[in-house]
Amino acid sequence: MIRYLEAHGYTNRVYFYDVYQGDHSYYESVVRNYYGFNGPVSNVDGGMQDAHIVVATGWPTAYPIFNSRCAGKRFYFVQDFEPYFYPAGSISSFAESTYRMGFHGISIGKCFANKLVIEFGMSVDTFTFGCDISQYRRSETSHRSGIVFYARRENARRGFELGLLALEMFAARRPDIDIHIYGDRMGHLPFRFVDHGRITPDEINRIYNLCFAGLSLSFTNVSLVPFEMLAAGCIPVVNDTVQVRADLDSPFVRYAPAFPMALAASLEEIVSCIDSDALSVAAAASMQSITWDEAGATVDAILRRTLEASMDNSIFPGSMAKVSM
């Protein structure tokens, strides 16, 4: 989003809010070297400059933005319903309270937009998920022989344990199919698999092109993973929830109940498909018009429209301050 806005007249500043007092120079290097951002990258403890637009990107960052004396219309870039990341208690309550701070919400997807409006009285606009189809794409030369699982132990919403149980059942039924796991290093598991760990997007795309299907689980908002799998011609198997279906509506996705046998059966159905190559081609083709530029244009329009309603627009385009954690 920052890259898109910068290309369309915005001056951007990124602020980090780090209660753990990490190495700011390291995180700044990630912003610059990995994401290619060349603007100012500061720590929010040093204060924030006045801006037309000030954007919180996660619930902890909403607090310094709420308390800051800098000028600027407050926005909240809502990527999930973050109270669900924690057990019911103090931390989930702190996260929930940020939706009552009067910020204008910009929600990726429709999943929780109505909840924010009805339960918290937020003003919310939405934009649809994009996909980096220049990075994730189908190769005409790859030979598909496996399945893939995106594994994240530390994120409970990604269904790590459920995914491993499903893979164990699948491996027992189809020992001839390679199983690829990336994200976290697994170590020993009771079935044969390739342990990729944390890898680059290029490597992820290569693995997707080796696989008939991929297992992607999420118990809050849908992740970007199934979109990227589709773009590479790898058929996603996802846990069937109202939240996932709200923003991932595709005839090429396999929605399965969230228990191991159902997920394993869906994976087996895909690898057993007689015309799997045609299915892969059609899945990849369905993603060709879904880009982040369209999402960026929508966010740009939301910012401009909301700002116009709250101030004189004669000085627009202007600057945007974004606080990251």
Side-chain angles (χ1 to χ4, degrees), residues 288-306:
Q288 290 308 298
S289 62
I290 301 176
T291 69
W292 283 111
D293 278 352
E294 182 179 351
T298 303
V299 171
D300 182 14
I302 292 168
L303 292 171
R304 291 176 184 270
R305 182 176 65 248
T306 307

Side-chain angles (χ1 to χ4, degrees), residues 71-251:
K73 174 70 176 175
R74 268 50 173 172
F75 289 83
Y76 199 151
F77 196 80
V78 180
Q79 301 170 77
D80 212 321
F81 189 72
E82 295 181 296
Y84 285 170
F85 293 5
Y86 310 95
S90 298
I91 304 302
S92 63
S93 176
F94 294 155
E96 194 174 86
S97 293
T98 62
Y99 303 130
R100 300 185 178 94
M101 290 180 173
F103 299 171
H104 187 95
I106 303 176
S107 173
I108 181 166
K110 300 173 288 186
C111 178
F112 293 114
N114 286 340
K115 182 180 182 71
L116 295 175
V117 172
I118 295 169
E119 296 184 20
F120 300 95
M122 280 189 75
S123 56
V124 179
D125 285 297
T126 65
F127 68 100
T128 58
F129 282 83
C131 182
D132 187 355
I133 57 176
S134 65
Q135 178 68 67
Y136 298 98
R137 57 193 182 276
R138 187 178 186 276
S139 170
E140 300 296 335
T141 59
S142 292
H143 173 69
R144 297 179 189 267
S145 59
I147 64 168
V148 58
F149 175 49
Y150 170 57
R152 294 296 298 274
R153 278 189 186 91
E154 69 271 25
N155 294 342
R157 65 188 184 278
R158 298 302 183 215
F160 173 76
E161 299 85 358
L162 174 61
L164 291 188
L165 288 171
L167 293 181
E168 185 175 6
M169 290 185 174
F170 175 86
R173 298 179 182 183
R174 294 299 303 265
D176 57 312
I177 298 295
D178 297 327
I179 297 176
H180 299 267
I181 301 179
Y182 79 92
D184 291 338
R185 282 283 181 188
M186 294 294 101
H188 175 74
L189 291 176
F191 53 86
R192 181 179 64 86
F193 73 104
V194 183
D195 195 358
H196 294 281
R198 296 194 176 188
I199 53 179
T200 66
D202 284 341
E203 292 171 312
I204 294 171
N205 187 65
R206 182 185 65 82
I207 292 168
Y208 288 165
N209 275 277
L210 295 176
C211 294
F212 298 105
L215 182 59
S216 176
L217 304 176
S218 183
F219 287 86
T220 56
N221 206 356
V222 66
S223 80
L224 299 180
V225 169
F227 296 91
E228 295 162 355
M229 287 178 173
L230 282 171
C234 176
I235 306 302
V237 173
V238 303
N239 54 305
D240 192 1
T241 67
V242 172
Q243 291 89 348
V244 169
R245 282 186 182 264
D247 294 299
L248 181 62
D249 183 15
S250 168

